[in-house]
Amino acid sequence: MTPEELAAVGLVVEVEGAVATVTLDRPEVRNAQTPAMWRGLATIGERLVADDAVRVVVVRGAGTSFSAGLDRAMLDPTSSTEGVESVADLLSRSEEEMSATIDDYQRGFTWLRDPSFVSIAAVQGYAVGAGFQLALSCDLRVLTDDAQLCMKETALGLVPDLTGTKPLVEAVGYSRALEICATARMVGAEEAVRIGIALTAVPTDQLAATVAHLAGSLTAPMPGAVRETKALVQTAAASSLEDQRRLEREAQGRRFREVASTMQQ
């Protein structure tokens, strides 16, 4: 997709040095998301993963909210527009086709876990439903102190299906994750920091500077060291001690060789 095509679905990408910023740019609807936006995010992900110069990806929302979640018009079969993909279109598909389509949507979220870079969600205002799941797809989350997070899907009779359940459980544990998802309640910024969803919460006027400082800290070490470390941290919980020890040894071997090669240049 061209920059113009991405802009048409509400996405803007800017790359400055080692930092790429992806902005959800539909402020008039609090950055409500659509299937076209999810497909656009997947396209952006393919490009950024392939760009070795990008070491940090920041995801943010234009205006006063990160994202209010799914654009509700996408759920209404009677309000569909010809040529515009809608979530309601899933109703006319087989189980296999529905699953394959949702898999395509999920790809707009999963690329943010790639070890090629560290991803940061800069969350202000509301991050609801798909917005909360997009923030959870990032490695790190920085909130404004008025941020409100909510897994809204159950209130609509649905389930979180955009890859948000796993990182939520990893952040807060099974019981708290179930309670947050099943009740569809709001989680304020202070609680989000306290229970491990976010790194910190700052005044709105400090969000950009805080995220920029974090991005700078993440790009200071050698690129390979951060990438290898992220990959190790990602496998740690699911690996046995023996497997994790082996992965650490292998990663360190690669690091020693790269550092030695750099010193010889």
Side-chain angles (χ1 to χ4, degrees):
M1 297 174 74
T2 66
E4 293 73 22
E5 289 170 330
L6 289 173
V9 300
L11 294 168
V12 176
V13 184
E14 300 170 292
V15 179
E16 185 174 346
V19 180
T21 301
V22 179
T23 302
L24 309 185
D25 192 24
R26 302 183 73 208
E28 68 282 1
V29 289
R30 294 192 298 177
N31 302 314
Q33 298 177 32
T34 65
M37 184 180 283
W38 298 332
R39 293 188 185 279
L41 285 169
T43 298
I44 291 169
E46 290 174 1
R47 294 176 184 171
L48 295 182
V49 168
D51 188 346
D52 289 339
V54 173
R55 298 177 56 189
V56 172
V57 175
V58 176
V59 181
R60 61 180 294 274
T64 58
S65 280
F66 181 74
S67 173
L70 175 67
D71 188 329
R72 295 292 186 88
M74 299 289 105
L75 288 172
D76 185 357
T78 65
S79 66
S80 60
T81 302
E82 186 175 352
V84 177
E85 185 177 8
S86 169
V87 174
D89 297 340
L90 294 172
L91 296 172
S92 64
R93 299 176 183 173
S94 68
E95 293 297 321
E96 292 77 13
E97 292 170 332
M98 182 183 293
S99 178
T101 301
I102 295 173
D103 180 68
D104 288 341
Y105 297 162
Q106 290 172 332
R107 294 178 191 278
F109 295 69
T110 53
W111 64 273
L112 289 159
R113 280 96 159 180
D114 194 280
S116 301
F117 44 70
V118 177
S119 53
I120 306 170
V123 180
Q124 80 278 17
Y126 289 98
V128 175
F132 190 15
Q133 293 188 76
L134 182 60
L136 286 167
S137 297
C138 295
D139 300 309
L140 309 172
R141 285 158 291 282
V142 178
L143 314 183
T144 57
D145 52 17
D146 64 347
Q148 295 286 323
L149 316 177
C150 177
M151 201 70 87
K152 192 71 172 179
E153 284 77 5
T154 56
L156 302 174
L158 304 173
V159 299
D161 67 339
L162 295 172
T163 76
T165 55
K166 181 176 174 60
L168 184 59
V169 170
E170 291 172 344
V172 304
Y174 166 79
S175 297
R176 181 63 71 196
L178 176 59
E179 181 264 334
I180 289 171
C181 292
T183 64
R185 71 175 177 87
M186 288 288 183
V187 178
E190 184 277 331
E191 181 185 1
V193 173
R194 175 165 46 82
I195 65 178
I197 293 174
L199 290 179
T200 189
V202 299
T204 301
D205 61 0
Q206 295 179 22
L207 180 63
T210 301
V211 171
H213 177 76
L214 178 58
S217 298
L218 291 166
T219 56
M222 292 181 66
V226 176
R227 290 168 181 160
E228 292 275 17
T229 299
K230 176 175 173 177
L232 284 172
V233 172
Q234 286 179 324
T235 60
S239 296
S240 67
L241 178 58
E242 289 304 310
D243 285 343
Q244 191 69 8
R245 287 175 60 212
R246 174 182 55 79
L247 293 171
E248 289 175 357
R249 294 194 300 269
E250 293 171 353
Q252 194 70 303
R254 291 187 293 270
R255 297 308 312 140
F256 276 135
R257 292 186 182 91
E258 183 173 339
V259 171
S261 175
T262 301
M263 294 175 65
Q264 293 170 2
Q265 291 177 0

